[in-house]
Amino acid sequence: MSKRLEGKRALVTGATSNIGRAIAEAFAAEGAHVIVSGRSAERGRDVVAAIRARGGRADFVRADLDGSAAASRQLAREASDVLGGGIDVLVNNAGVYPGDTTADTGEQTFDEVYAVNVKAPFFLTAAVAPAMARAGGGAVINLGSWIARLAVPVGALYSSTKGAMETLTRAWAAEFGPQGVRVNAISPGVVLTPAPGEVHPGEVMMKGTVAGRMGTPQEIAHAAVYLAADEASFVQGIVLDVDGGRTAAAVIAA
């Protein structure tokens, strides 16, 4: 039985925890050779070991994506070298969420969040997508967020960066799509894995949704596998909402 990503070479940023880790594990399970990238070498080694223990192919490449073009280009080079000379799938997942109100957000925080959430994936895509095109094609998957379109009272800075990534998704689809590089985004709802017995504050945000619960990292990973696979060859420039219906429908309690 063939695997959906057999022979694909993938780079997943922010892959040492939560959604990024789940995507890396799902890609490897579907046959891809995955570069697990993040700041923590210890956590990166743990993810790689878990993937290899299940028979998958993975390597860790440390990267501190601070927004500089140099850091993004270095990651693109190192990942491509480890993968044997190319990247077929790029997942721009790494991000930071300060969760402050507008009045409590300082200039340094503003610059840091835009550097990690927008500048870093911008320059990483700039380094990877043209090489994909020269090699015959590929796929770029960006991570957006439901709060880019359904606002909440805190996190204006974060939500604006995710709005920027959703806009870049459409712009890059127009720019790189004709060259064989598909660019799409996933917009997750509240996705966390609470400790057993823990009630997480994020659960409140999912009340009144069709799903009625928070999502799991694995549910986002399933969507990423679809967008990375050849079966999504006619999917271009979309933002795929995987949010339990948060932005699409409301459940009215009786």
Side-chain angles (χ1 to χ4, degrees):
M1 181 177 175
S2 63
K3 296 183 177 181
R4 297 160 77 187
L5 301 180
E6 193 72 54
K8 302 286 189 185
R9 300 163 296 180
L11 167 60
V12 183
T13 68
T16 60
S17 64
N18 203 24
I19 291 174
R21 175 170 184 159
I23 292 174
E25 291 176 339
F27 278 13
E30 290 290 347
H33 182 182
V34 182
I35 295 298
V36 173
S37 182
R39 294 178 178 176
S40 170
E42 181 180 0
R43 291 194 301 176
R45 286 191 294 266
D46 288 344
V47 178
V48 168
I51 289 173
R52 291 178 177 175
R54 291 190 289 268
R57 298 182 66 197
D59 292 280
F60 175 71
V61 174
R62 187 186 179 281
D64 185 359
L65 295 177
D66 58 5
S68 66
S72 291
R73 290 169 184 158
Q74 181 177 343
L75 173 57
R77 285 193 302 269
E78 292 183 6
S80 180
D81 288 345
V82 174
L83 290 170
I87 297 168
D88 302 304
V89 182
L90 167 64
V91 180
N92 286 312
N93 169 72
V96 292
Y97 177 72
D100 296 330
T101 64
T102 299
D104 290 333
T105 300
E107 185 175 6
Q108 182 178 352
T109 297
F110 184 100
D111 291 342
E112 288 176 352
V113 174
Y114 261 84
V116 175
N117 292 10
V118 181
K119 282 185 68 179
F122 183 94
F123 287 112
L124 185 55
T125 301
V128 171
M132 286 180 176
R134 289 192 296 269
V140 176
I141 302 169
N142 299 318
L143 269 291
S145 173
W146 66 280
I147 63 172
R149 280 165 290 142
L150 184 62
V152 296
V154 294
L157 176 60
Y158 175 82
S159 63
S160 72
T161 65
K162 291 305 180 179
M165 289 308 299
E166 293 188 5
T167 297
L168 284 171
T169 296
R170 293 183 286 271
W172 285 337
E175 182 177 356
F176 297 116
Q179 303 172 54
V181 179
R182 294 184 298 105
V183 185
N184 294 289
I186 299 171
S187 178
V190 180
V191 176
L192 291 166
T193 306
E198 175 188 14
V199 177
H200 194 279
E203 293 182 30
V204 175
M205 294 185 181
M206 295 303 289
K207 287 186 176 180
T209 65
V210 178
R213 61 172 177 83
M214 295 191 296
T216 67
Q218 290 72 27
E219 288 169 319
I220 308 305
H222 294 324
V225 168
Y226 166 67
L227 291 176
D230 293 341
E231 64 203 66
S233 60
F234 201 51
V235 181
Q236 307 267 0
I238 70 159
V239 177
L240 178 58
D241 293 320
V242 188
D243 62 2
R246 174 74 282 173
T247 56
V251 176
I252 308 300

